Structures are given as C-alpha cells and as structure tokens.
Amino acid sequence: MRILLFTGKGGVGKTTLAAATGAALAARGRKTLVVSTDPAHSLGDAFGRTLGAEPSEVDALLSAVQIDSRTLVDTTWHRLRAELQTALSGAGLDTLDAEELTVLPGVDELLALTEVRGLAEDGRWETIVVDCGPTAETLRLLALPEAVSGYLPRVFNRRVTDSVRRLGAHLDGLRALLTEPSVTTVRLVLTPERVVVAEARRTLSSLALRGIAVDGLIANRLMPAPGFWRGGAASWLRTRRTQQDAVLAELAAAGFEAVSRVEHRAVEPVGLPALLEIAAELYRGGDPLDGDGTPVTPLLRVRPAPAGYTLRIAIPLGRDTEVDLARVDDDLAITVDGFRRLIALPESLRPCRITGAESDADGLVVSLAGNRGRG
C-alpha cells in the first residue's frame, strides 16, 4: 500500500495533479483510489464525473471519492462524543464538564484523515492518492493525530476511560501511518511565484518537524516554452516566463533543485485523456510512485563529535527563518517560523546540553556536549 498526499497553497492546481497521478497509476496497472479531503471538492470536475461520499469507478482500475467531513462530524463524531461524555460523567465529572472536554477543534479534518486510513485498510486498492485541502488546512490535518494524542493523557490524567484509550490508540495509529515514509509521502505543489514558494518552504519545514516525508516538489503552471509564443502576447509571455525561471533558480540555489515542472494549458484539463497528458509531462515516462528520485532524509541523524554529539535535523531553512531551540525534560523543543515540535531525544543524548546550532543546505545541525559513555 502506498499513500500519496497532494497539497499546496490554494489555487496552485493540486487537484488536477492528484487526479492526473491517479490516472497515470491506473494506466500502469495499479488499482488506484483518488480521495478528496478538500472542502472545495473539485475532484469530480477534474475527472468530468459526479462523485459522492462512496468510492465510484472512473475507469477500469481507477476509482474516486469526495469525503464529506461535515457529514462525518454529524455521524461518527457525534456517536463517539456521546460515548465519551457518558464515560467521563461516570468518572466523576458533571455533564457540563464532560461536554466541554469532548469538543475538539479541527475534528472534521481528523475524521477526514480517519476515513482515508479506513479506505487504505479496506484492501481494494494498491495506491491511494489524496487531494488535500490548501496548505493551512492540510497542516492542521496532519498535526492533529500528534496534538490530540498528546492532549488526551494530560486532560484526562488517571481518569482515562476505555473510550479515551481507544481514541488515543487510534490517533497513534494515524500518526504511525503518516510518518512511515515507505507508506505515506507528500507531493507539494507550487506555482513559480515568490509568495507561493515562501509558503511552500515553510510547509516543508513544518512537515519535516512532524516527521512526514516529502518525496516531490512540483512547479505547476509555467508559461509555455518560447517556441509557442506568437503575436503581440509574446513579450508578456517572455517576461512572465523569465520571472518564473528566476524564482525556480532561487529555489534551486536554496537546495531544492529536483523540482518537477508542468506547463500551463490554454484549456482547462478535464477528463482522463487530458489528465494523462499532464501526467506524461509531470513524470516523463517514469513511475509516479518514484517522486522526483530524491531520497527521503531521516528527520534525525546522530553522530559522535569530540565534545559530545551532533544532531542533524532535516528541516529546510531559509535565510530569514526564525529558529528557537530549547530542552524540555528529555525532549528537544524546536520552533521554526512559529511551528513548534517536541522531538524525543535518543537515550544517549538525554544527559547532554545544547552548546550551539548552525544551518546548512541539509537542515539544522545542533551541537550537544555530554559524556558519550553515559546512556
């Protein structure tokens, strides 16, 4: 089973590229399901089909579904919430307290992710391609399993009921699914504009902090190559393409050279033939599951150093990135541009103290001093 998550800033064309990838995988003989968790639900428009909340066949080996997270909130979460309220009331909390403790912000995104996991465990498909919402929604979606599973023990303390334990175990399972790079990877879609690229780089940092692998960057909607320029629009097209090439050159200089490219179409790509044409340009005859060929870098790598250890953290950092490091008990707290993550330190590093940090093209290198014979 492989799961590919497509995300990016709103309007960059991730839905089209997710649909094109699903179509290409099915054309290569893999039974594939394309799932939309985007509240905008434009996946059906890309396929030129009407899609519902249950998987429906688009082609021989290709199915698609649009998850309605609001309906899930009204059904699945309503039942679980009622069960939790009953359990908590029995643990000594009054009805009002129990009701307040079972209100979880972002539960609709959480249930959408739960539905994706259920579809993956269904066994009918070899590959699931997920058209996620815009970047901010996706980051909330991917952060929820970790955030909520960490939140439950603190809130419920020793009064953790069977219902809460089951929910916590379920969230841990979601987190394990997301952070297993042999199963789940992200394709980050951008357009060659400085504002979009800046957000994409912040997204890369946030995903790296959460241990979620990104195996492909896709620059979409490039102006066509010069050979297609005709008439009075040629000057405008030349200027626009030059600007786009400059943005991509800046991205390459920052260490992101392996960026797949897809040119803008004059006509909106709708239907399987148009989507397969896009996939041919995107993957250039290769296997869509291979991404851009860049190996997944582990989030953490530890190496001995004369005074202790160096800890490499694979987080893409820009020149203007704000980074803060701190020790919280046995964890290293990393805050990058407002995104915070507690990383459990390996046992050998827990007695150490932070003595310095620097960044390079591969991420952040933290120096720690301590007795290498301990732990």
Side-chain angles (χ1 to χ4, degrees):
M1 166 59 64
R2 279 293 308 279
I3 300 174
L4 303 179
L5 305 174
F6 278 74
T7 190
K9 189 175 173 65
V12 298
K14 58 182 178 51
T15 298
T16 297
L17 297 180
T21 299
L25 287 165
R28 294 176 70 93
R30 289 191 178 92
K31 198 164 186 183
T32 302
L33 175 67
V34 184
V35 181
S36 172
T37 64
D38 188 341
H41 284 328
S42 55
L43 183 61
D45 298 331
F47 283 124
R49 303 286 182 90
T50 299
L51 300 177
E54 294 294 329
S56 59
E57 187 176 279
V58 176
D59 202 19
L61 296 175
L62 180 64
S63 299
V65 62
Q66 295 186 153
I67 293 176
D68 185 350
S69 57
R70 294 311 309 167
T71 298
L72 292 175
V73 171
D74 294 338
T75 56
T76 305
W77 177 241
H78 180 75
R79 291 194 298 271
L80 179 57
R81 186 171 178 231
E83 182 182 351
L84 287 172
Q85 287 177 7
T86 300
L88 291 171
S89 296
L93 295 175
D94 62 34
T95 302
L96 181 60
D97 290 337
E99 183 173 352
E100 289 177 346
L101 286 174
T102 55
V103 175
L104 294 178
V107 70
D108 48 349
E109 288 103 335
L110 181 62
L111 291 175
L113 188 58
T114 299
E115 194 77 358
V116 170
R117 183 191 183 192
L119 291 167
E121 294 174 344
D122 182 275
R124 283 183 282 173
W125 300 281
E126 298 173 66
T127 307
I128 293 181
V129 180
V130 184
D131 169 32
C132 298
T135 306
E137 284 75 10
T138 300
L139 291 178
R140 285 202 300 270
L141 180 83
L142 301 182
L144 276 169
E146 180 178 31
V148 178
S149 62
Y151 163 86
L152 289 174
R154 291 197 301 271
V155 171
F156 297 111
N157 202 7
R158 294 185 179 180
R159 294 176 299 190
V160 177
T161 65
D162 289 340
S163 299
V164 175
R165 276 194 292 268
R166 285 199 302 273
L167 179 57
H170 173 72
L171 292 168
D172 286 340
L174 287 178
R175 180 170 54 185
L177 180 71
L178 289 171
T179 56
E180 176 46 64
S182 66
V183 177
T184 304
T185 53
V186 171
R187 303 275 164 89
L188 185 57
V189 182
L190 55 93
T191 51
E193 304 164 75
R194 285 185 172 85
V195 172
V196 177
V197 168
E199 178 169 325
R201 294 189 65 185
R202 288 192 293 269
T203 302
L204 287 169
S205 295
S206 180
L207 292 171
L209 280 169
R210 294 183 172 104
I212 297 170
V214 177
D215 72 350
L217 291 177
I218 304 172
N220 193 28
R221 296 179 178 165
L222 272 74
M223 289 298 104
F228 289 91
W229 299 345
R230 298 287 186 274
S235 176
W236 184 89
L237 289 168
R238 184 180 298 108
T239 300
R240 187 78 181 97
R241 180 59 186 257
T242 299
Q243 185 182 51
Q244 291 181 329
D245 287 341
V247 171
L248 291 177
E250 292 174 7
L251 193 60
F256 305 100
E257 298 179 2
V259 179
S260 302
R261 303 185 179 199
V262 178
E263 289 189 350
H264 210 325
R265 264 60 175 171
V267 178
E268 182 180 4
V270 174
L272 288 178
L275 293 172
L276 286 171
E277 180 184 320
I278 288 206
E281 180 182 353
L282 174 57
Y283 297 110
R284 303 187 183 279
D287 187 341
L289 291 185
D290 289 341
D292 62 21
T294 303
V296 176
T297 304
L299 179 62
L300 299 177
R301 281 186 295 176
V302 181
R303 290 180 178 169
Y309 297 91
T310 60
L311 174 65
R312 178 173 293 280
I313 306 169
I315 305 173
L317 299 173
R319 285 191 295 269
D320 300 327
T321 301
E322 294 185 5
V323 181
D324 182 69
L325 299 172
R327 282 292 301 273
V328 179
D329 298 326
D330 289 335
D331 295 335
L332 177 65
I334 305 176
T335 305
V336 179
D337 284 338
F339 293 107
R340 187 172 185 265
R341 165 85 184 259
L342 287 176
I343 295 178
L345 290 171
E347 186 175 355
S348 59
L349 300 187
R350 291 174 186 170
C352 300
R353 66 184 189 280
I354 299 172
T355 58
E358 59 184 15
S359 63
D360 59 20
D362 295 324
L364 187 68
V365 180
V366 181
S367 298
L368 300 109
N371 183 356
R372 295 220 313 257
R374 296 179 62 185

